[in-house]
Amino acid sequence: MSGLRHDRALFRDPTFVLFFVARSIGTLGGSFAPVALAFSILHLPHGTPGLLSIVLACESIPMVAFMLLGGVVADRFPRAAVLRVGLGLSFAAFVLLGAMILIGWTPLLALGAASALSGTGIALIYPALTGLIPEILPPAQLQEGNGILGIARNAASIVGLVASGAMVALVGGAWALIVGGSLFAVAGILTLWLPQGRRQPGGLSARGVLGDLRDGWREFVAHEWLWVVVAQWSFLVLFFSAATGVVGPVLANDQLGGAGPWSWILAAEAVGMVLGGFFAMRWRPARPILAAVLAGAVAIPVPFLCLGLGAPLVADIVAMAFSGVSFGVFGVLWPTTMQQRVAPDALSRVSSYDALGSLIFQPLGLLIGGPATVVLGARTAMTVCGLALVVLCVLPLISRDVRTVGPGVRTEVLESTDAS
């Protein structure tokens, strides 16, 4: 009961409540994309798995390319303002994509340009969000706050995925994209009332962007557990993005019944992430990174093997829910440890290196997903992804630092020093 009272206390802070609502609405908007965009492209007169791969890669490439710049900007300028710009770009991208599909004007160049706008927005949103959280939350409540935010994010994903699947079936993917874009706009408007960050210098350092990036890189590589797990995720995301971005929608469209069943599979993952987030809010493992890695090794590959081997839809849904639990645990323990151990004035840059490393091969995964589906067949391609994930999920355990690093105290020490 004391834990619940402690959590409720966060909602007496108006700044946290505003951030909570804005982030949840933004996540709700973003969760329309996996189903709405995939099936909108596949249902075009010239829609193919290859076209879907190209459009998704057009979003992913600028996201990766600009992620480091996004980290520098979010460390040097008010993070709420950076977040607002990213949400604005995402709003424009979704609405443009929806409008083009709605009127039937869908040249590849235009689809790719709008998708690239979305990727640029994400490159600003992620580092700004990561840096804002420890500005809003006191150090003692970081894990609870990350848990609450993660639960809300995943609950919003459930609603968005189910709603987008229903909208695709009833009125088409174009309207689902427009609704998602409108939610980004609402989230961006709410950030107008977030306070300006207190740590940013208000501009680039005297050494410029490259100097700031070098400082962020030194902080990033100083933590072995950090770069080892990021290296793991760079390859994990390659196969995961191929499976969920291209192979899964094609398999669902051809063999599972379309957007509806696929949206339920993705929603099951989000349900699992909610449950994992609740658990991680209360769990205090002595070695949080080891716990996070083991949680992924146990569950992440299973749903893709089930889909590849032709398991019943119910089994696919249950397996994806368990995979989501592991993601939910990871999604609390990982950022909390990073926020505790990384120097606050470098946190957005380090998080951008985290995101860049984790996502660097995502465009490749999306590009090869379509051809792999054509050459191997959807189920075989999915099985290959699942087997690759089995290997990748256990490799970080080779690192002693991953196995032994404990909860950090750096953020608390720095803030207590500042206060004194």
Side-chain angles (χ1 to χ4, degrees):
M1 291 297 295
S2 61
L4 289 174
R5 286 195 296 271
H6 196 246
D7 298 339
R8 286 198 298 268
L10 288 171
F11 288 97
R12 290 196 287 271
D13 179 353
T15 301
F16 175 78
V17 171
L18 182 61
F19 180 73
F20 173 88
V21 173
R23 191 182 187 203
S24 300
I25 291 175
T27 301
L28 180 62
S31 66
F32 275 69
V35 176
L37 183 58
F39 286 90
S40 293
I41 298 299
L42 290 174
H43 292 166
L44 289 174
H46 56 294
T48 64
L51 177 62
L52 177 59
S53 284
I54 293 171
V55 171
L56 293 178
C58 285
E59 177 186 57
S60 185
I61 289 170
M63 176 179 66
V64 170
F66 295 128
M67 189 65 73
L68 292 183
L69 181 60
V72 171
V73 171
D75 271 339
R76 294 295 172 180
F77 294 92
R79 286 166 176 150
V82 176
L83 175 60
R84 189 156 52 249
V85 173
L87 290 168
L89 291 175
S90 296
F91 156 72
F94 273 47
V95 171
L96 284 172
L97 284 166
M100 285 189 289
I101 293 168
L102 192 63
I103 65 175
W105 184 72
T106 55
L108 177 58
L109 185 61
L111 291 171
S115 296
L117 198 63
S118 172
T120 305
I122 296 170
L124 293 173
I125 290 170
Y126 179 80
L129 278 175
T130 304
L132 267 172
I133 291 171
E135 289 185 5
I136 291 170
L137 292 168
Q141 293 179 302
L142 269 177
Q143 184 156 339
E144 289 85 352
N146 279 315
I148 290 171
L149 291 168
I151 290 166
R153 179 183 68 240
N154 296 321
S157 295
I158 296 168
V159 175
L161 288 165
V162 173
S164 63
M167 288 193 71
V168 170
L170 294 174
V171 297
W175 285 111
L177 287 167
I178 292 171
V179 169
S182 301
L183 291 168
F184 277 123
V186 173
I189 292 169
L190 289 175
T191 65
L192 288 168
W193 287 274
L194 286 175
Q196 298 296 307
R198 58 184 180 274
R199 292 195 182 107
Q200 292 94 323
L204 297 177
S205 69
R207 290 167 298 160
V209 172
L210 292 180
D212 287 339
L213 286 175
R214 282 195 296 270
D215 290 344
W217 176 255
R218 280 194 290 269
E219 179 70 16
F220 176 76
V221 298
H223 306 277
E224 181 182 312
W225 59 270
L226 181 55
W227 62 259
V228 166
V229 175
V230 169
Q232 173 212 15
W233 275 72
S234 66
F235 292 96
L236 188 150
V237 168
L238 185 156
F239 291 98
F240 186 87
S241 60
T244 58
V246 181
V247 181
V250 172
L251 190 154
N253 195 56
D254 294 345
Q255 303 181 41
L256 298 181
W262 186 241
S263 68
W264 281 104
I265 289 172
L266 295 181
E269 180 185 39
V271 170
M273 291 173 74
V274 169
L275 297 176
F278 272 117
F279 176 70
M281 284 174 62
R282 296 285 177 263
W283 191 26
R284 296 290 189 277
R287 291 172 286 179
I289 300 303
L290 174 63
V293 170
L294 287 176
V298 169
I300 287 176
V302 177
F304 305 104
L305 293 173
C306 288
L307 284 162
L309 297 173
L313 179 60
V314 172
D316 299 333
I317 291 172
V318 172
M320 191 64 91
F322 277 106
S323 179
V325 171
S326 69
F327 280 120
V329 170
F330 186 93
V332 175
L333 297 181
W334 177 259
T336 299
T337 306
M338 190 162 65
Q339 290 156 5
Q340 290 171 336
R341 287 187 163 268
V342 172
D345 60 354
L347 183 54
S348 286
R349 278 169 289 171
V350 170
S351 72
S352 70
Y353 279 111
D354 169 19
L356 173 66
S358 299
L359 300 174
I360 193 166
F361 295 136
Q362 185 185 67
L364 178 61
L366 294 170
L367 283 172
I368 66 175
T373 302
V374 173
V375 173
L376 300 176
R379 291 206 183 274
T380 301
M382 187 68 80
T383 302
V384 170
C385 290
L387 292 173
L389 291 172
V390 170
V391 177
L392 291 167
C393 281
V394 298
L395 281 179
L397 299 174
I398 297 172
S399 166
R400 183 179 182 276
D401 208 36
V402 167
R403 299 194 308 269
T404 60
V405 69
V409 295
R410 177 177 292 183
T411 300
E412 296 181 26
V413 172
L414 284 175
E415 291 197 350
S416 64
T417 301
D418 293 341
S420 63

